[in-house]
Amino acid sequence: MMIGVLGPKGSYSEKAAGQWLAEIFPGETASIHSESCRDPVLHYCDDIQDVFSFLREGPVDIGLVPVENSIEGSVGVTLDMLLEHDVTIIGETVVAIEHCLLSKGRKEDIRIILSHPQGLAQCRHFLKENFRGAELRTTGSTSHAAKLATEFEEMAAIASRESAQTYGLNILVSNIQDRKHNHTRFLIMVRSDEASAGYPYRSYEDRTYKTSIIVYLDRDRPGALYEILGEFARRKINLTRIESRPSKKTLGDYLFYIDLEGRTSDDIIKEAIYNVESKVGMLKMLGSYPASEPV
Amino acid sequence: MMIGVLGPKGSYSEKAAGQWLAEIFPGETASIHSESCRDPVLHYCDDIQDVFSFLREGPVDIGLVPVENSIEGSVGVTLDMLLEHDVTIIGETVVAIEHCLLSKGRKEDIRIILSHPQGLAQCRHFLKENFRGAELRTTGSTSHAAKLATEFEEMAAIASRESAQTYGLNILVSNIQDRKHNHTRFLIMVRSDEASAGYPYRSYEDRTYKTSIIVYLDRDRPGALYEILGEFARRKINLTRIESRPSKKTLGDYLFYIDLEGRTSDDIIKEAIYNVESKVGMLKMLGSYPASEPV
């Protein structure tokens, strides 16, 4: 089983993969670095688009991507890829994020700061107050930033504590995100044509499930979103998230990404989604999967 | 009248300011580069946070910031600042965005690409296909990227056609955003304690108005968003946009940014907002302002 994650070694995605595996194989010591065919192995990808491409074309069997952060919100590229690719979500996991400023050099020498765009955005206040004139460079992941920061003493990366160890960097400042509590939610996906087996190996009767859909409303129909939400509210289905994303056709035209509590095997969910489908321009089912424990 | 915009010279914000001024002073040739006290003068800011800071502390009287793009969606930092600062929106304007790849050098020599994070995100496919290995650097604005790209031949900026002229760069490729049609909506704001005079100089009886609010629902109350939308749907008030943004307290806790058609001087809008206010944890009024022409 090969799991595609943002690389290189030391990324938050790697942590998320380990955490998710420990959840689905409780008690087993599943090594994600094993080379054996039976055991899960990580495949490090350069960026989020690549996780989706390698899932479609191989060699990846399972893709894991960040979708939402508690400070900076949605990861736009992940939302876009969920629409474009034939994938099914089979799980989610929430990882505590503690960003550190890592470098080979000293704080006063830092001129260049590297991170994933989300990492830079989550530490906006810190950067503004402490490194106003610094040059900001984006990388495909925070661990890639850490790897690059080994090259020059005037460079620092915003990345995890683990990355400092992996790449032999000093932690100049720890916990630098704008809010102390910082969590990122990751999605675990398979190709839709292989999703029929469902959540790896078994169904979890004892767990709360979530179902994720994307809907595109017909434009110029006032109250359309209200009507859709009514199908859920009327059945007391709780929505855990509703997020708009541009349709990219024209300004003011949106898709809605909706997460709701329940699974498509529940009659009430099936019925609500059936009714919603008849009222919208497009509905894409992204999957039903066990919700992560509340943080 | 000093207008704070993203600088330096050549930014899309500058274009937005010119467009907005032409709308509110039709027929007049308002020069935004004039030094006279009566005429509008631009104050170039390094980033979006600075536009808000200079509006609060001076010398800026009016702030202009990007809020939403048709390809990449909301500008997160603008939404966050609208919550944090005491500002009132008095207008909006929509600018057509045509990103170009600008450089002193040749396409085959480009190793480093600079732009605002939104510029990089709007050209994601182009970058992935043509400059896979390139280093991506973020800047406070696209025009700042263009200015920096004058330093080395191996650097290119994603910026406007006008920036090429302003900074003496070559247009290596034009129209490189992922979708041909690309528009950004800008907001025009004043300090709330000075907003009582309303939209500069006059009220527009003949124009459609928009009203923007931020609401924070009480958590753990299923159907709360549905109830809120009901207050508008019941009165046939059209919502032009609904956008969620993390409350930053904990994952899964959101604020909703809602734009609706109508103005607070309309009884029906006043009534709807009064009712919504009683049902939510917090409601912040951002202002009523003439809507830009549809694009």
Side-chain angles (χ1 to χ4, degrees):
Chain A
M1 186 167 80
M2 194 170 270
I3 305 179
V5 295
L6 278 183
K9 210 169 164 341
S11 67
Y12 290 109
S13 294
E14 181 179 327
K15 201 171 167 180
Q19 193 174 296
W20 179 70
L21 286 168
E23 246 181 71
I24 62 160
F25 299 114
E28 293 180 41
T29 52
S31 162
I32 53 180
H33 294 292
S34 158
E35 289 299 324
S36 133
C37 281
R38 238 194 90 236
D39 293 329
V41 181
L42 292 192
H43 183 84
Y44 295 112
C45 305
D46 282 352
D47 54 37
I48 290 171
Q49 291 104 301
D50 278 0
V51 176
F52 283 87
S53 302
F54 290 138
L55 183 58
R56 188 182 56 207
E57 291 152 22
V60 157
D61 307 296
I62 289 179
L64 183 149
V65 287
V67 65
E68 179 187 20
N69 172 267
S70 59
I71 298 178
E72 192 43 27
S74 287
V75 181
V77 54
T78 294
L79 298 185
D80 290 348
M81 294 291 117
L82 285 172
L83 178 71
E84 282 177 34
H85 289 254
D86 285 327
V87 294
T88 296
I89 303 170
I90 58 163
E92 65 170 7
T93 193
V94 172
V95 171
I97 305 290
E98 187 203 328
H99 287 310
C100 300
L101 190 71
L102 312 179
S103 180
K104 262 174 52 180
R106 297 171 311 167
K107 194 178 167 193
E108 51 273 33
D109 300 329
I110 304 304
R111 278 197 330 102
I112 300 164
I113 296 176
L114 305 95
S115 195
H116 185 272
Q118 273 267 348
L120 295 173
Q122 288 162 31
C123 302
R124 201 181 280 139
H125 289 301
F126 171 84
L127 291 173
K128 188 92 178 161
E129 270 169 38
N130 298 277
F131 295 96
R132 208 188 153 94
E135 189 180 283
L136 303 180
R137 299 192 189 170
T138 64
T139 52
S141 69
T142 55
S143 57
H144 188 216
K147 193 177 178 186
L148 289 172
T150 58
E151 286 177 28
F152 302 104
E153 295 201 345
E154 62 187 0
M155 277 183 171
I158 294 177
S160 67
R161 191 173 282 280
E162 288 79 10
S163 290
Q165 218 169 10
T166 306
Y167 298 103
L169 296 168
N170 303 316
I171 298 179
L172 299 185
V173 197
S174 62
N175 240 328
I176 58 171
Q177 63 276 356
D178 292 346
R179 301 287 176 122
K180 201 177 155 206
H181 293 287
N182 189 17
H183 291 89
T184 296
R185 192 160 63 91
F186 291 82
L187 296 178
I188 295 96
M189 318 162 297
V190 296
R191 281 184 295 280
S192 293
D193 56 11
E194 297 189 355
S196 51
Y199 199 63
Y201 316 130
R202 66 188 183 96
S203 175
Y204 293 71
E205 296 308 330
D206 54 332
R207 294 187 60 176
T208 304
Y209 269 64
K210 255 187 195 174
T211 296
S212 295
I213 57 172
I214 307 174
V215 294
Y216 177 65
L217 309 175
D218 289 319
R219 223 192 157 192
D220 298 327
R221 211 172 118 237
L225 179 63
Y226 176 66
E227 261 185 56
I228 301 310
L229 298 190
E231 294 294 340
F232 299 115
R234 194 168 310 132
R235 295 174 176 86
K236 308 244 182 295
I237 297 169
N238 194 25
L239 305 187
T240 57
R241 182 164 175 252
I242 174 164
E243 173 74 0
S244 71
R245 186 83 195 137
S247 73
K248 302 186 196 293
K249 288 178 194 160
T250 178
L251 195 70
D253 195 40
Y254 307 98
L255 293 154
F256 290 92
Y257 287 66
I258 300 175
D259 290 349
L260 45 103
E261 272 178 18
R263 53 201 296 185
T264 43
S265 54
D266 301 339
D267 284 344
I268 201 172
I269 301 289
K270 215 181 289 174
E271 196 184 277
I273 288 178
Y274 179 83
N275 282 346
V276 166
E277 198 161 16
S278 68
K279 288 181 175 165
V280 296
M282 182 278 296
L283 184 147
K284 180 174 181 179
M285 172 58 61
L286 293 176
S288 285
Y289 50 92
S292 68
E293 303 301 316
V295 290
Chain B
M1 187 168 79
M2 193 170 272
I3 305 178
V5 295
L6 279 183
K9 208 170 167 340
S11 67
Y12 289 109
S13 293
E14 180 178 328
K15 200 169 169 183
Q19 194 174 296
W20 178 70
L21 286 167
E23 249 181 67
I24 63 161
F25 300 115
E28 294 181 39
T29 52
S31 162
I32 52 178
H33 295 289
S34 159
E35 289 300 321
S36 136
C37 283
R38 238 194 88 237
D39 292 331
V41 182
L42 292 192
H43 183 84
Y44 294 113
C45 305
D46 282 351
D47 53 39
I48 289 170
Q49 291 103 303
D50 278 1
V51 175
F52 283 86
S53 303
F54 290 138
L55 183 57
R56 188 183 56 206
E57 290 150 25
V60 157
D61 307 297
I62 289 179
L64 182 148
V65 287
V67 67
E68 179 187 20
N69 171 269
S70 60
I71 298 178
E72 193 41 29
S74 287
V75 182
V77 54
T78 294
L79 298 185
D80 290 347
M81 296 290 119
L82 285 171
L83 178 71
E84 283 177 32
H85 290 255
D86 286 328
V87 295
T88 296
I89 303 170
I90 58 165
E92 65 170 7
T93 192
V94 173
V95 170
I97 306 291
E98 186 202 330
H99 288 310
C100 300
L101 190 72
L102 313 178
S103 180
K104 263 174 52 180
R106 298 173 309 168
K107 194 179 168 193
E108 52 272 34
D109 299 328
I110 304 304
R111 277 198 330 106
I112 301 164
I113 297 176
L114 304 95
S115 195
H116 186 273
Q118 273 267 348
L120 295 174
Q122 287 161 32
C123 303
R124 200 179 283 142
H125 288 301
F126 171 83
L127 290 174
K128 187 91 180 160
E129 270 169 37
N130 297 277
F131 294 96
R132 206 187 155 98
E135 190 180 285
L136 305 180
R137 299 191 188 171
T138 63
T139 53
S141 69
T142 54
S143 56
H144 188 215
K147 193 177 177 187
L148 288 172
T150 57
E151 287 176 28
F152 303 103
E153 296 202 344
E154 63 188 0
M155 277 182 171
I158 294 177
S160 67
R161 191 173 283 280
E162 289 79 7
S163 290
Q165 217 167 12
T166 306
Y167 299 103
L169 295 167
N170 304 316
I171 298 179
L172 299 186
V173 196
S174 65
N175 242 326
I176 60 171
Q177 65 275 355
D178 292 346
R179 300 286 177 124
K180 200 177 158 204
H181 293 288
N182 189 17
H183 290 89
T184 296
R185 191 160 64 92
F186 292 82
L187 296 178
I188 295 95
M189 315 162 299
V190 296
R191 282 184 295 280
S192 292
D193 57 8
E194 297 190 353
S196 51
Y199 199 64
Y201 315 128
R202 65 186 184 95
S203 174
Y204 292 72
E205 297 308 329
D206 53 331
R207 291 187 61 176
T208 303
Y209 268 63
K210 254 190 198 176
T211 297
S212 295
I213 57 172
I214 307 176
V215 295
Y216 177 64
L217 309 176
D218 289 319
R219 221 194 160 196
D220 299 326
R221 215 174 113 234
L225 179 63
Y226 176 66
E227 263 185 52
I228 302 309
L229 299 190
E231 294 295 339
F232 299 116
R234 194 168 309 134
R235 294 176 177 84
K236 308 246 183 294
I237 298 169
N238 194 24
L239 304 188
T240 56
R241 182 165 174 249
I242 173 163
E243 173 75 357
S244 71
R245 185 83 192 137
S247 73
K248 303 188 197 291
K249 288 177 195 161
T250 177
L251 196 69
D253 196 40
Y254 307 99
L255 294 153
F256 289 93
Y257 286 67
I258 299 175
D259 290 350
L260 44 104
E261 272 179 19
R263 55 201 295 187
T264 43
S265 55
D266 301 340
D267 285 342
I268 200 171
I269 301 289
K270 215 182 288 172
E271 198 183 275
I273 287 176
Y274 179 82
N275 283 344
V276 166
E277 199 160 16
S278 68
K279 289 183 177 164
V280 295
M282 185 277 296
L283 184 147
K284 180 173 181 178
M285 172 58 62
L286 293 176
S288 285
Y289 48 92
S292 67
E293 303 302 317
V295 291

